[in-house]
Amino acid sequence: MSNRSRPTQNLLLAATLAIFLSGPAMAAAQTEPSAPVGEQPVAPLPAEGGSSPAPVTAPAPAEGGAIAAGGAPDLPHDLSPVGMFLAADVVVKSVMIALALASVATWAIFFVKTLELAFAKVRMKRAVRALTAANGLAALKLDRKAGIAGEMIAAAVDEMARSEAVLDQAPATGVKERVASLLSRIEIRAGKRMSAGTGVLASIGSVGPFVGLFGTVWGIMNSFIGISKAQTTNLAIVAPGIAEALLATAIGLVAAIPAVVIYNYFARSVGGYKLILADAAAAVERLVSRDLDHRQIRKPQPRRQDGYGHGADASIARIG
């Protein structure tokens, strides 16, 4: 082999060796799995001996928090009514508790007053029938334990007994006026006693929505403060506070709407009960007037003097 062809042979030998060495490296690069979507390569630390290891991949943080299965964001806490109540601010929680107690009071008043009105109406209707069928106060056997009608009869009998000394000399108008005054006061007291508790319903119905609105405003204010601190407008961060605030308004409406409806119902029922009381009072007044008229008829008439007739006959005889 000549000296002129030796460099050419060396060059071909070097090229063949380079191709042989680079073949396995390229095959390994093709079979290495690529990093999955959402993962970013992390720069590896240099190992001892100067060799650099293969890059290691790490998951990239998702925007707005961890992503749960199905792509839904992982909310900070439970958004059920109980969970929102437990996670609410102390002021909002106090508002919710107050409105819940108001709702319980509303329904308690409803059940108690419904039973009380029903029994009172039945008793008064029975008493009015007895008063209408009686001919006088003496024929009635009711007393103060018989309810409002018993109180009316007892008041009329007591006034008649106090006026016994002047019944035959004074007009009966004064006795009737005094009895009517007593009956009207008994009727007013009975109606007021039956209306007890309805004022609470009116207060709950008028104030409940505004109390709930106060809790809502306070909760939304706290939500905006939390947004400014977190420096994010992600719905997963903002929604819980706003939901807690709106829950206060919902509870306020739940407490106020039944209170208004029940108050209107009791206003009509108590009005009907007052009409029955007025009928009972009118029946007692008629009995008093009837007793006074019977007493006036039974009062003895003035008798003529014994010598009145004989003196007249004597005078006529003398004239003749």
Side-chain angles (χ1 to χ4, degrees), residues 123-124 146-153 186-187 190 193 273 277:
R123 178 182 295 180
M124 286 303 302
I148 305 302
E151 293 183 10
M152 291 181 177
I153 294 172
I186 294 174
E187 180 182 350
R193 185 163 56 249
Y273 177 70
L277 290 176

Side-chain angles (χ1 to χ4, degrees), residues 56-139:
V56 181
T57 58
E63 182 180 0
I67 303 298
D74 187 12
L75 298 179
H77 55 267
D78 185 16
L79 290 183
S80 64
V82 177
M84 288 188 292
F85 169 76
L86 296 176
D89 182 71
V90 61
V91 176
V92 181
K93 191 178 296 184
S94 300
V95 169
M96 293 180 184
I97 293 174
L99 293 174
L101 293 177
S103 180
V104 172
T106 297
W107 289 106
I109 292 173
F110 171 72
F111 289 115
V112 172
K113 298 302 291 186
T114 299
L115 296 177
E116 184 179 358
L117 267 171
F119 286 124
K121 284 183 177 181
V122 170
R123 178 182 295 180
M124 286 303 302
K125 289 179 180 179
R126 189 184 301 114
V128 169
R129 289 194 296 267
L131 290 172
T132 305
N135 293 324
L137 293 176

Side-chain angles (χ1 to χ4, degrees), residues 17-29:
L17 183 61
I19 293 172
F20 178 77
L21 293 177
S22 62
M26 293 178 63

